[in-house]
Amino acid sequence: MAQKIPATVVTGFLGAGKTTLIRHLIENAGGRRIALIINEFGDLGVDGEILKGCGIEGCADDDVVELSNGCICCTVAEDFLPAIQKLIDRDQAPDHIVIETSGLALPQPLVRAFNWPDIRTRVTVDGVVAVVDGPALSEGRFAANEAAVDAQREADDTIDHETPLSELFEDQLACADMVVVNKADLLGTAAAEALTGKLRAEVRSGVSVLHSEMGAVDVAVLLGLGIGAEADMDARHEVHHHHHHDDDDDDHEDHDDDHGHEHAHGHDEFESFVVTRAEISDPAAFSEQMAEVIRTHDILRLKGFAAVTDKPMRLTVQAVGPRIDSYFDRPFAAGEPRETRLVVIGQAGLDRLAIERALAA
């Protein structure tokens, strides 16, 4: 069976920085062919136009599918499914699909839609990423301009105007596999760490919480989570069983994140390094060892290969947070060193020496 195309769902409120994060992702795609589905309400097509006009190499107009006819989660049969099918039926299918929901969209119905018979054997939800406005949240607000969000909700008669933003926020966190606290540079180091710590206590076990400046999250951190979220709906159930249209053309203000910053913040907020060690004797025990190291040092991703004593096959290891998957992929080639090599990825400031020692123990 052909490998499923991974799709990443990016959710979050107006102005949190979703479009900025996606722009950074496209600029640093590293040769991946990424298709975008931008969920717009109304006819303006703001986000699509920002991305189409960005001048980024490889960001062709036909890689952007705009849904300007209501919200993804409520019109999946009419809009979302045809958009996905159009992408995966192309002669050159994308390597990865990124779906930006509008700011008040509930991610759960969208993720659930990936179980539809027409697409479930061909596409999978790689992960759900919730982007939050760090400075606003630290001040007890859920968006930089809550009045603008409420005004947009009031302008649309098709949605529930009474649902508090706090409830929508809880639903987004409940569905997320990764939470990105954006605009961390406006918070300061101590406040950013305090906020990420608070959010870690609120999300499901194993959900990564990290902070970013101007949506600059390393592509190696964002993509390739391998979660298969559509098969894991019980763990990410809606906190509140509301289901309504959303109405904001999201990052109408997202480009404010770029104000006064002409350069893209690079990857210096993240770091990666390789740990090499000898063969392992017990894969299960080594998985527990890796999980403990990941928890202790707040490692975002860990991936690589291991040699197992008396086993001719190479063990592939992939960890996202403390969730670790492993399988034997192929025999070691003649002359290939029987060693264990792991790539460690996290936010800048990892204690490399301590991690190397712990993984080599």
Side-chain angles (χ1 to χ4, degrees):
M1 180 182 293
Q3 188 173 3
K4 293 182 182 181
I5 298 171
T8 296
V9 175
V10 181
T11 186
F13 284 138
L14 170 76
K18 298 195 300 297
T19 296
T20 309
L21 179 140
I22 290 172
R23 181 195 289 267
H24 181 271
L25 189 160
I26 295 297
E27 288 174 336
N28 297 279
R32 292 180 182 86
R33 183 172 172 80
I34 296 176
L36 306 176
I37 295 181
I38 308 299
N39 180 31
E40 285 286 342
F41 181 85
D43 300 322
L44 292 177
V46 174
D47 292 330
E49 288 308 312
I50 288 173
L51 290 161
K52 284 182 179 180
C54 64
I56 298 170
E57 185 178 355
C59 185
D61 285 5
D62 64 354
D63 286 332
V64 180
V65 178
E66 290 186 42
L67 305 181
S68 56
N69 169 8
C71 99
I72 284 178
C73 69
C74 298
T75 60
V76 287
E78 301 168 14
D79 226 354
F80 170 66
L81 287 174
I84 287 285
Q85 287 175 315
K86 176 182 175 183
L87 289 173
I88 63 180
D89 287 341
R90 296 170 70 174
D91 291 338
Q92 188 177 8
D95 300 317
H96 204 106
I97 299 170
V98 175
I99 302 165
E100 180 188 1
T101 70
S102 54
L104 300 177
L106 298 180
Q108 286 89 344
L110 173 59
V111 174
R112 211 174 280 121
F114 281 81
N115 286 308
W116 283 50
D118 290 345
I119 63 172
R120 68 186 178 192
T121 61
R122 304 177 66 190
V123 189
T124 183
V125 181
D126 185 57
V128 178
V129 178
V131 185
V132 303
D133 186 321
L137 195 59
S138 69
E139 295 172 2
R141 294 174 290 117
F142 299 100
N145 190 342
E146 290 185 351
V149 176
D150 285 332
Q152 289 178 334
R153 290 201 291 183
E154 289 297 327
D156 183 15
D157 295 331
T158 65
I159 66 167
D160 172 13
H161 299 151
E162 304 304 319
T163 305
L165 291 183
S166 59
E167 294 185 6
L168 296 172
F169 183 72
E170 287 179 38
D171 276 324
Q172 291 177 354
L173 290 187
C175 195
D177 299 296
M178 176 180 292
V179 179
V180 177
V181 180
N182 197 27
K183 309 178 188 177
D185 51 319
L186 303 181
L187 280 174
T189 303
E193 290 297 338
L195 183 57
T196 54
K198 178 177 181 293
L199 287 170
R200 283 192 188 102
E202 297 176 4
V203 298
R204 288 174 290 119
S205 175
V207 173
S208 300
V209 182
L210 55 141
H211 48 79
S212 69
E213 300 179 14
M214 295 174 59
V217 179
D218 196 306
V219 175
V221 172
L222 275 178
L223 305 187
L225 300 183
I227 300 290
E230 72 278 9
D232 183 35
M233 293 309 300
D234 288 345
R236 58 188 78 229
H237 61 85
E238 291 97 330
V239 179
H240 307 275
H241 295 282
H242 40 217
H243 184 70
H244 54 262
H245 290 279
D246 61 298
D247 59 326
D248 84 300
D249 40 8
D250 185 59
D251 303 318
H252 221 26
E253 299 175 47
D254 239 14
H255 51 281
D256 290 346
D257 288 343
D258 295 333
H259 184 65
H261 298 270
E262 293 302 322
H263 64 288
H265 282 246
H267 300 283
D268 53 347
E269 290 91 9
F270 298 88
E271 63 176 299
S272 65
F273 54 87
V274 176
V275 175
T276 304
R277 58 159 288 168
E279 291 185 0
I280 64 173
S281 58
D282 184 343
F286 188 57
S287 288
E288 292 178 8
Q289 179 181 346
M290 287 189 292
E292 180 60 30
V293 174
I294 288 167
R295 283 190 291 266
T296 301
H297 295 279
D298 196 23
I299 294 168
L300 295 172
R301 303 286 297 278
L302 191 152
K303 57 187 178 180
F305 307 97
V308 181
T309 304
D310 298 328
K311 297 287 186 183
M313 301 284 284
R314 187 179 72 168
L315 184 71
T316 295
V317 176
Q318 168 81 270
V320 178
R323 185 180 70 88
I324 298 172
D325 296 318
S326 62
Y327 58 92
F328 290 100
D329 68 337
R330 65 165 176 81
F332 278 93
E336 184 178 5
R338 288 185 58 86
E339 62 184 11
T340 298
R341 288 176 59 83
L342 301 171
V343 179
V344 179
I345 304 172
Q347 295 207 258
L350 292 175
D351 189 338
R352 178 171 180 169
L353 184 59
I355 291 169
E356 289 175 340
R357 286 174 175 167
L359 287 173

